[in-house]
Amino acid sequence: QVQLVESGGGLVQAGGSLRLSCAASGGIFYTYAMAWFRQAPGKEREFVAAINWSGGSTGYADSVQGRFTISRDNAQNTGYLEMNSLKPEDTAVYYCAAAKAFGISNYFTAEYQYNYWGQGTQVTVSS
């Protein structure tokens, strides 16, 4: 199975930026679609962004559209989430996820569609 490890979280002021990384091992990264989800205290885990196996198709939650960018570097087995114009409501634990989907052109946005998950990284945005 694939192991996923997130990094890059931290404390940032409102309006600032962070880039999260998701390093994959134990599989061929380019055969997997990937996504980012987040979970705030007392809230359900929610979809943030997704990307297909080739990186040619991406999708975003309305709450982050225009502020966050998902990308991947298949040669380095790493996915990224660039977060700009951060707001206090972006505070959450951010998780990366992967699903075997080589050759499938679309991306996935539901939790049940992903079978590999990272441990999460904390993002805190101060007001």
Side-chain angles (χ1 to χ4, degrees):
Q1 63 177 23
V2 175
Q3 304 292 325
L4 304 174
V5 179
E6 302 96 335
S7 62
L11 176 64
V12 64
Q13 293 183 357
S17 300
L18 285 173
R19 187 170 82 154
L20 305 183
S21 298
C22 178
S25 62
I28 308 300
F29 185 65
Y30 69 78
T31 67
Y32 293 85
M34 67 161 294
W36 291 89
F37 293 79
R38 67 186 182 187
Q39 187 168 24
K43 302 292 186 180
E44 296 295 318
R45 187 155 54 188
E46 65 176 351
F47 168 75
V48 176
I51 190 167
N52 76 331
W53 70 273
S54 69
S57 183
T58 59
Y60 299 90
D62 289 342
S63 59
V64 306
Q65 181 72 49
R67 299 189 297 119
F68 291 10
T69 301
I70 188 171
S71 62
R72 64 193 298 162
D73 186 341
N74 287 339
Q76 296 191 344
N77 289 349
T78 303
Y80 302 96
L81 183 69
E82 180 72 33
M83 305 184 294
N84 302 123
S85 301
L86 283 162
K87 305 174 181 179
E89 53 261 46
D90 294 319
T91 295
V93 176
Y94 283 71
Y95 300 89
C96 66
K100 197 171 186 64
F102 178 67
I104 300 175
S105 61
N106 58 349
Y107 52 83
F108 313 131
T109 62
E111 288 186 58
Y112 71 83
Q113 296 175 301
Y114 292 90
N115 50 359
Y116 302 107
W117 292 82
Q119 84 288 353
T121 186
Q122 176 71 47
V123 172
T124 302
V125 184
S126 63
S127 60

